[in-house]
Amino acid sequence: MASKKIILRFGKDISDKPIIFHLARDYNLVFNIIKANVNPNKEGTVVMELTGEKYDEGLDFLKSQGVRVQPLAEEVFRNRVKCTSCGACTTICPTGALYLERPSMEVMFDSDNCVLCQICLKVCPVKAMEVRF
Amino acid sequence: MAIEKTYAEINEKIRSGEVVVLTAEEVISLVEEKGISEAARQVDVVTTGTFSPMCSSGVFLNFGHTKPRIRMQKVWLNGVPAYSGIAAVDAYLGATELPEDDPCNSNYPGEFRYGGGHVIQDLLARKPVKLEAASYGTDCYPRKELETYITLDDINEAMLFNPRNAYQNYNCAVNLSSKTIHTYMGLLKPNLGNAHYCSAGQLSPLLNDPYFLTIGLGTRIFLGGGVGYVAWNGTQHFPCIQKDAEGNIFGPAGGTLTVLGDLKQMKPNWLVGTSFLGYGATLTVGIGVPIPILNEEVMRCVSVTDRDLYAPIVDYSEAYGQRIPGNLGYVSYAELKTGKIAVNGKEVPAAPLSSYPKAREIAGLLKDWIQKGDFFLAEPARMLPSYKDEIVAKTLEIKGI
Ligand code: SF4
Ligand code: SF4
């Protein structure tokens, strides 16, 4: 039976809907939430392990509800040599794992707060954020 | 007694090792403690720095002649086209140029992972770069095509020539619409989800010389980790003093510089290929300008702090693109640096696109060079237009003949 780690990203409009409840009841999927975070803008990120016969149907259901689903990377890390501490990622990272330290204005990366959403990989202008699958 | 120093006197102090240099950040506390006059007496040079994406950048290259010769009509470097409508083996590679097969924004938002700026960084990293050229062939230049590899050391000249760098000040960008937008100011979240600004504020070169009292044609500068020069004012050089509708003053804005220098002595960590999701490729450029403390007026200018400098807040979902005049107010760099600003009564998270730590590092490096006697000040051959010249921006009208 397929058991996969995935990342779900919820917009503000759907973060209060009982989507995961439906996943369990309607698709008979077993899940194990590894990390969950709702940021101040009410955007949610959930990292979970999902197992069950109707895995693919369950995923289709999530997507139909407007949840963005992506496979879980093993690790997101910062290439310190490449990072220029520009700051461009700091209002984009949904959990504050990438943040500006004040007053030095150095950008810090706290991997404990990282939910592996990988948005920083796209927005970092110098491609200093990297991923290992 | 009024303090007056000349470039020659300051250079003599650099030669003798007596020169006193502070960064534009360090000088603030000295002025707060000792006052303008005493600070002007003590300090000879104040160094500034900025490290930001600067799109109007590029490099003139001369590749040397092949046997038989070619008059290059089209040129590509690692697949990125360079302009070769100049002499036979000269070309200009622009920082924002993209490979011809780049999908651009056809699968929006495009990633723009490689462009002219990245080629410049690869050249600086001494990586081999693929050179392709095509031509129509002439009696004196018979070759019609070539494909080879070059490195920065193989070619004759490589002159970084950036027609518009070191913007004096910049907008603070926000998004009033209900959808995410991708801009040269980064990803802007809907409904005022975030704000991006792009200036080193109190460390920024042209904010420390708001009236262009010292920076002029021929000023020697830190450019891309090496030495460069101010060649002219930049394109779109419209220096002004910002005012709101009530006539309140919000500090300087609008000045720009054209800078140049020998690329071969620059460093890949100070000229960095850069990609903006959904927008394009560019080059992040490190610039540091030394400001000679010729008199108290110059010292007054360099003692400016983030509390005195303001960015206009501009909506990039509509007002910017549609060129709707006005803005959503002004915000000081001190407020921006707290990471939270108020726009239309809403608290908005703010972040820079311009690296303040790198700006500080540049100002520090330039200070070191001057203290060690490795870098002398150049007196401008001509000053640049200032706000007093009241240059008005022209716009482009769409019209038939
Ligand atoms: S992947 Fe990047 S953007 Fe996402 S939480 Fe981790 S650091 Fe933040
Ligand atoms: S956007 Fe990239 S370079 Fe800039 S601070 Fe974040 S990780 Fe570093």
Side-chain angles (χ1 to χ4, degrees):
Chain A
M1 210 172 350
S3 164
K4 285 181 192 151
K5 286 186 186 161
I6 53 171
I7 306 173
L8 312 182
R9 294 202 278 124
F10 300 78
K12 183 181 177 170
D13 45 329
I14 49 173
S15 57
D16 52 357
K17 288 193 193 162
I19 290 170
I20 294 181
F21 165 76
H22 283 288
L23 205 57
R25 195 192 62 183
D26 304 349
Y27 298 90
N28 203 18
L29 297 179
V30 179
F31 60 86
N32 170 26
I33 293 182
I34 300 165
K35 269 184 188 176
N37 176 284
V38 178
N39 71 15
N41 294 333
K42 302 232 160 48
E43 297 151 343
T45 314
V46 176
V47 181
M48 61 158 68
E49 195 169 1
L50 203 57
T51 318
E53 300 285 355
K54 292 188 176 168
Y55 177 87
D56 292 334
E57 290 93 325
L59 242 50
D60 289 343
F61 162 74
L62 287 172
K63 288 175 189 159
S64 74
Q65 296 298 305
V67 180
R68 279 157 292 165
V69 183
Q70 66 186 63
L72 178 70
E74 203 171 289
E75 191 194 5
V76 164
F77 58 100
R78 178 169 65 147
N79 183 327
R80 289 180 140 274
V81 177
K82 276 187 165 179
C83 173
T84 64
S85 260
C86 69
C89 54
T90 57
T91 63
I92 311 298
C93 171
T95 65
L98 283 159
Y99 64 98
L100 270 164
E101 195 173 75
R102 298 184 164 79
S104 73
M105 302 302 280
E106 294 276 355
V107 172
M108 301 292 165
F109 175 53
D110 179 356
S111 58
D112 289 348
N113 287 335
C114 173
V115 290
L116 307 169
C117 72
Q118 299 172 48
I119 304 176
C120 53
L121 270 78
K122 289 207 161 150
V123 302
C124 174
V126 300
K127 305 290 166 238
M129 297 305 291
E130 298 176 11
V131 65
R132 242 193 301 270
F133 281 99
Chain B
M1 207 176 67
I3 294 146
E4 297 288 341
K5 294 179 207 174
T6 64
Y7 284 84
E9 283 162 7
I10 295 173
N11 279 335
E12 193 41 51
K13 284 190 174 181
I14 297 176
R15 209 164 280 123
S16 68
E18 287 162 37
V19 70
V20 177
V21 191
L22 290 184
T23 70
E25 202 178 38
E26 294 162 345
V27 78
I28 292 170
S29 48
L30 181 76
V31 169
E32 277 167 6
E33 200 184 307
K34 300 260 166 83
I36 301 277
S37 299
E38 183 52 30
R41 223 181 307 278
Q42 285 183 14
V43 180
D44 303 306
V45 184
V46 167
T47 58
T48 63
T50 181
F51 188 68
S52 293
M54 302 190 196
C55 288
S56 215
S57 299
V59 61
F60 278 106
L61 303 164
N62 176 286
F63 302 111
H65 288 278
T66 52
K67 185 179 173 179
R69 295 175 193 266
I70 180 170
R71 204 225 77 74
M72 297 176 177
Q73 189 194 8
K74 303 243 183 232
V75 167
W76 299 264
L77 290 152
N78 280 351
V80 179
Y83 177 76
S84 54
I86 38 182
V89 292
D90 281 347
Y92 183 79
L93 173 69
T96 68
E97 190 63 79
L98 297 167
E100 270 157 27
D101 58 358
D102 193 287
C104 295
N105 262 344
S106 59
N107 52 348
Y108 179 83
E111 292 204 56
F112 305 99
R113 297 188 78 93
Y114 198 83
H118 298 84
V119 178
I120 292 171
Q121 192 181 14
D122 282 346
L123 281 167
L124 278 170
R126 265 54 187 186
K127 290 187 189 162
V129 166
K130 185 178 187 183
L131 168 66
E132 293 164 278
S135 187
Y136 43 86
T138 74
D139 292 339
C140 44
Y141 290 98
R143 185 190 288 274
K144 289 189 175 160
E145 56 184 25
L146 69 78
E147 187 182 318
T148 183
Y149 286 84
I150 57 159
T151 68
L152 189 55
D153 300 309
D154 295 340
I155 61 176
N156 286 316
E157 287 89 10
M159 176 178 54
L160 190 74
F161 188 106
N162 302 350
R164 175 161 23 108
N165 276 186
Y167 244 112
Q168 189 160 31
N169 197 347
Y170 217 81
N171 294 337
C172 168
V174 297
N175 174 7
L176 292 178
S177 80
S178 56
K179 63 178 200 0
T180 294
I181 58 170
H182 299 279
T183 73
Y184 69 82
M185 293 296 282
L187 187 159
L188 297 172
K189 299 202 263 184
N191 307 311
L192 290 170
N194 61 343
H196 280 163
Y197 63 100
C198 192
S199 170
Q202 64 194 14
L203 266 174
S204 184
L206 297 189
L207 287 175
N208 281 284
D209 189 6
Y211 314 126
F212 295 90
L213 299 176
T214 70
I215 302 172
L217 201 156
T219 296
R220 186 178 290 122
I221 61 171
F222 172 110
L223 179 59
V227 173
Y229 295 86
V230 174
W232 206 254
N233 59 257
T235 54
Q236 295 185 25
H237 176 70
F238 310 130
C240 68
I241 304 297
Q242 303 178 114
K243 283 191 188 125
D244 67 7
E246 284 83 54
N248 299 308
I249 288 176
F250 289 95
T256 68
L257 299 177
T258 295
V259 298
L260 56 74
D262 176 8
L263 188 76
K264 292 189 182 188
Q265 41 98 51
M266 298 184 193
K267 307 263 162 22
N269 55 327
W270 295 116
L271 287 173
V272 179
T274 300
S275 308
F276 278 103
L277 185 65
Y279 177 73
T282 183
L283 184 70
T284 296
V285 182
I287 294 181
V289 179
I291 299 185
I293 306 301
L294 302 175
N295 52 47
E296 285 148 303
E297 175 63 3
V298 174
M299 179 49 92
R300 195 183 322 277
C301 293
V302 297
S303 67
V304 75
T305 75
D306 285 331
R307 297 186 300 278
D308 317 315
L309 297 166
Y310 293 83
I313 304 167
V314 175
D315 167 41
Y316 273 64
S317 68
E318 198 190 1
Y320 182 84
Q322 299 302 325
R323 225 188 76 210
I324 300 166
N327 56 52
L328 303 166
Y330 289 90
V331 59
S332 77
Y333 284 99
E335 289 167 86
L336 284 164
K337 278 194 186 163
T338 66
K340 283 193 186 101
I341 62 168
V343 186
N344 289 353
K346 192 183 165 188
E347 184 178 278
V348 181
L353 301 179
S354 172
S355 173
Y356 194 78
K358 293 281 178 199
R360 187 191 287 125
E361 201 179 325
I362 290 170
L365 281 169
L366 187 52
K367 174 181 160 175
D368 278 0
W369 292 357
I370 297 170
Q371 282 174 336
K372 284 194 192 125
D374 293 339
F375 186 105
F376 289 85
L377 305 188
E379 183 163 1
R382 203 201 91 177
M383 300 319 290
L384 301 178
S386 75
Y387 78 99
K388 289 183 185 151
D389 295 281
E390 296 180 352
I391 307 172
V392 178
K394 292 188 176 67
T395 54
L396 180 62
E397 302 309 322
I398 308 296
K399 56 192 173 195
I401 304 165

